[in-house]
Amino acid sequence: MHPDLQRYFNHVWPLFWPWLVLNLVRVARWHTRTGRDALMAVDCFGNIRLVFVADAPPPDDLYTYEAPRIPRWERPAVCGAGLAALRGPFGQVRHDPAKSGIVIHNHDMVRTDPVLHVRGPP
């Protein structure tokens, strides 16, 4: 007998040991099927009651990384859609430079003006 199961058999009357074995097998199958742990209460007749059941284990495939089809360095526009939404038909960004602090040239380079981005109080 496994030492961890001995305390159950010491608690149950020997007449009801077959019923205890059947219930322990059922709990073991449930544990392997679901992967959840449980706190069990056993009475002297071999009945098993699950007092507390643990949460289900998280699935192993929560996050799967899919590599982009085109590397970022080949097409910089693939990196984000935020700047592409601001671009006009000729590569100009529609904004007011005095308010935003973004300095735009006629190519795909965006620079921020560090003087206008001063950290304020929280």
Side-chain angles (χ1 to χ4, degrees):
M1 178 187 316
H2 195 274
D4 291 337
L5 299 177
Q6 185 178 3
R7 60 184 172 188
Y8 299 128
F9 285 94
N10 289 339
H11 182 67
V12 175
W13 294 343
L15 178 65
F16 298 107
W17 281 358
W19 182 245
L20 176 65
V21 169
L22 178 67
N23 285 332
L24 287 173
V25 168
R26 288 174 51 203
V27 169
R29 285 184 182 169
W30 171 82
H31 175 71
T32 57
R33 185 179 68 243
T34 61
R36 299 170 85 174
D37 293 327
L39 180 65
M40 301 185 307
V42 179
D43 62 1
C44 61
F45 300 108
N47 296 317
I48 294 177
R49 183 172 49 96
L50 298 179
V51 179
F52 293 108
V53 178
D55 293 337
D60 292 336
D61 59 348
L62 283 178
Y63 174 74
T64 56
Y65 174 73
E66 295 178 9
R69 295 179 184 166
I70 301 170
R72 291 181 181 175
W73 55 86
E74 288 183 8
R75 287 187 54 195
V78 175
C79 295
L83 198 59
L86 295 174
R87 287 190 206 286
F90 301 108
Q92 295 286 336
V93 175
R94 299 175 300 235
H95 75 286
D96 187 7
K99 293 180 183 176
S100 66
I102 297 176
V103 179
I104 302 298
H105 301 283
N106 282 336
H107 45 80
D108 290 331
M109 194 110 171
V110 176
R111 294 188 184 117
T112 58
D113 189 6
V115 177
L116 295 177
H117 294 290
V118 178
R119 183 168 187 239

